[in-house]
């Protein structure tokens, strides 16, 4: 009893470290990027997206190194489902989310293409496993996507941020934020995986279910907080871009890297989770294509679908479905 309560406490501490660590890392990295006059597009779709995906990266790498890839896969898939259904859905409750033309034309289709490739590797080419070769291909897509973003940025008219002398004078503080954030993320990831595994065994939950629920929601809190704050301030591009960009990097960076370390085993039942993950992106894309907006009723519908999915995976773990 006391051991379980201790593990729950460690889980909370681990998630807190992940969230605050990601916050420090993003603040430091964004300040450095502004000082280097990198465009807001690159900052938003790379640094912020990767920064808010660092908790997932830490958890999945820890899971891969310790041979718990079920949790690593569940964490990425669960986080992406949460990003699209809940992060965008909850943000839409604050304000109508306007989806940019470039997001509709490029980024959401890219996300769907990555999901299709992931499903092909996991269930068709090498059923039941994502091999190292396939993981290398997925990981290589990260560099291709970043190059694509840079090309788009140069073709567009995005203004580079003005030079900030104060931030330049305090560059050492930004470096400290990056180092502290990275350390907190690594420590938090280790605590989260170990505590979640203990709780899973005690409650009779599978590692996949813990990854899809507790760990996925916990490591997605940076995306949720960032997007909801951005939506409240009227920064729609940041709110939507953070959720979509993080989902892209969750697959190409995290699954790619963890699969290179250790081939990822894919449970037969995971096809439902991957399908729901793809459905979440399709729903947002259809909402955007119809009116370029995700309003309150669309936000509510996204959250309700997530609630239904959550019910399903819990019942599946209990062998009721």
């Amino acid at each position: 009893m006391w051991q379980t309560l201790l593990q729950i406490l460690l889980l909370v501490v681990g998630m807190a470290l992940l969230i605050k660590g990601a916050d420090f890392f993003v603040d430091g990295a964004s300040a450095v990027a502004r000082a280097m006059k990198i465009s807001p597009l690159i900052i938003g779709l790379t640094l912020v997206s990767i920064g808010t995906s660092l908790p997932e990266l830490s958890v999945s790498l820890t899971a891969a190194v310790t041979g718990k890839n079920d949790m690593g896969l569940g964490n990425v898939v669960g986080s992406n489902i949460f990003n699209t259904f809940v992060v965008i859905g909850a943000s839409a409750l604050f304000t109508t989310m306007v989806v940019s033309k470039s997001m509709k034309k490029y980024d959401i289709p890219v996300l769907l293409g990555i999901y299709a490739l992931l499903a092909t590797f996991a269930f068709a080419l090498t059923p039941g496993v994502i091999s190292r070769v396939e993981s290398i291909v997925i990981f290589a897509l990260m560099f291709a996507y970043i190059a694509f973003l840079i090309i788009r940025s140069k073709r567009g008219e995005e203004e580079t941020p003005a030079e900030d002398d104060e931030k330049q004078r305090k560059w050492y503080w930004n470096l400290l934020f990056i180092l502290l954030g990275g350390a907190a993320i690594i420590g938090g990831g280790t605590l989260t995986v170990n505590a979640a595994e203990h709780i899973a065994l005690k409650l009779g939950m599978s590692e996949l279910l813990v990854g899809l629920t507790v760990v996925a929601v916990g490591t997605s809190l940076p995306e949720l907080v960032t997007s909801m704050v951005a939506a409240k301030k009227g920064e729609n591009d940041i709110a939507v871009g953070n959720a979509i960009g993080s989902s892209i990097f969750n697959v190409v960076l995290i699954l790619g890297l963890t699969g290179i370390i250790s081939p990822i085993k894919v449970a037969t039942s995971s096809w439902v989770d991957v399908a729901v993950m793809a459905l979440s992106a399709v729903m947002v894309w259809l909402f955007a294509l119809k009116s370029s907006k995700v309003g309150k009723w669309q936000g509510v519908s996204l959250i309700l679908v997530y609630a239904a999915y959550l019910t399903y995976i819990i019942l599946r773990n209990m062998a009721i479905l």
Side-chain angles (χ1 to χ4, degrees):
M1 175 63 180
W2 289 109
Q3 183 67 19
T4 301
L5 290 175
L6 175 61
Q7 294 300 324
I8 293 174
L9 176 61
L10 290 175
L11 180 65
V12 173
V13 171
M15 288 182 177
L17 285 172
L18 286 171
I19 295 166
K20 198 59 184 176
D23 185 37
F24 273 34
F25 186 93
V26 170
D27 282 350
S30 296
V32 170
R34 285 195 299 270
M36 296 174 65
K37 296 185 178 181
I38 299 174
S39 75
L41 173 65
I42 301 300
I43 293 174
L45 285 175
T46 55
L47 284 175
V48 175
S49 293
I50 292 174
T52 55
S53 291
L54 285 176
E56 288 92 337
L57 177 61
S58 177
V59 168
S60 294
L61 285 178
T62 303
V65 171
T66 56
K68 302 164 188 169
N69 262 350
D70 266 4
M71 187 181 294
L73 175 64
N75 178 36
V76 168
V77 174
S79 292
N80 280 16
I81 291 172
F82 187 87
N83 281 347
T84 317
F85 280 135
V86 181
V87 172
I88 294 179
S91 298
L93 299 181
F94 283 92
T95 184
T96 299
M97 309 288 289
V98 179
V99 183
S100 67
K101 290 182 180 179
S102 63
M103 186 73 66
K104 291 189 294 184
K105 185 176 180 180
Y106 298 119
D107 301 297
I108 299 179
V110 164
L111 179 60
L112 288 170
I114 289 171
Y115 286 167
L117 181 65
L118 178 64
T120 301
F121 286 161
F123 305 111
L125 290 183
T126 54
V129 67
I130 300 174
S131 69
R132 279 195 173 91
V133 173
E134 292 168 338
S135 298
I136 291 172
V137 172
I138 293 172
F139 188 60
L141 290 177
M142 178 183 70
F143 300 100
Y145 180 64
I146 291 175
F148 178 53
L149 287 176
I150 294 172
I151 292 171
R152 280 168 55 192
S153 178
K154 289 184 176 180
R155 283 191 318 192
E157 299 179 356
E158 292 83 8
E159 296 181 359
T160 56
E163 187 172 332
D164 191 329
D165 292 332
E166 183 180 356
K167 282 189 172 60
Q168 283 193 328
R169 285 196 302 269
K170 296 182 179 179
W171 61 269
Y172 47 85
W173 286 115
N174 296 325
L175 179 61
L176 181 62
F177 268 41
I178 292 172
L179 293 175
L180 288 176
I185 287 166
I186 293 171
T190 302
L191 283 176
T192 300
V193 169
N194 292 338
E197 182 192 21
H198 178 89
I199 294 169
L201 294 174
K202 285 292 184 181
L203 298 180
M205 299 168 63
S206 67
E207 288 183 353
L208 178 61
L209 177 62
V210 174
L212 285 168
T213 54
V214 177
V215 178
V217 172
T219 56
S220 292
L221 288 177
E223 287 93 334
L224 179 61
V225 173
T226 300
S227 290
M228 289 181 69
V229 169
K232 195 172 182 179
K233 293 181 177 180
E235 299 285 353
N236 290 321
D237 283 344
I238 294 177
V240 179
N242 176 45
I244 299 299
S246 292
S247 295
I248 291 173
F249 282 106
N250 280 350
V251 177
V252 297
L253 170 61
I254 299 173
L255 277 188
L257 197 54
T258 55
I260 292 172
I261 294 173
S262 175
I264 301 170
K265 294 181 180 179
V266 182
T268 305
S269 61
S270 291
W271 74 266
V272 176
D273 307 312
V274 174
V276 171
M277 182 174 68
L279 172 65
S280 67
V282 169
M283 287 181 66
V284 172
W285 196 32
L286 291 177
F287 290 153
L289 289 175
K290 184 177 180 180
S291 62
S292 297
K293 297 177 181 178
V294 179
K296 284 185 173 58
W297 76 265
Q298 290 98 334
V300 170
S301 66
L302 290 171
I303 293 172
L304 288 176
V305 173
Y306 180 76
Y309 167 71
L310 202 59
T311 302
Y312 161 75
I313 59 175
I314 292 172
L315 293 177
R316 183 179 70 188
N317 184 77
M318 297 170 63
I320 295 176
L321 291 177

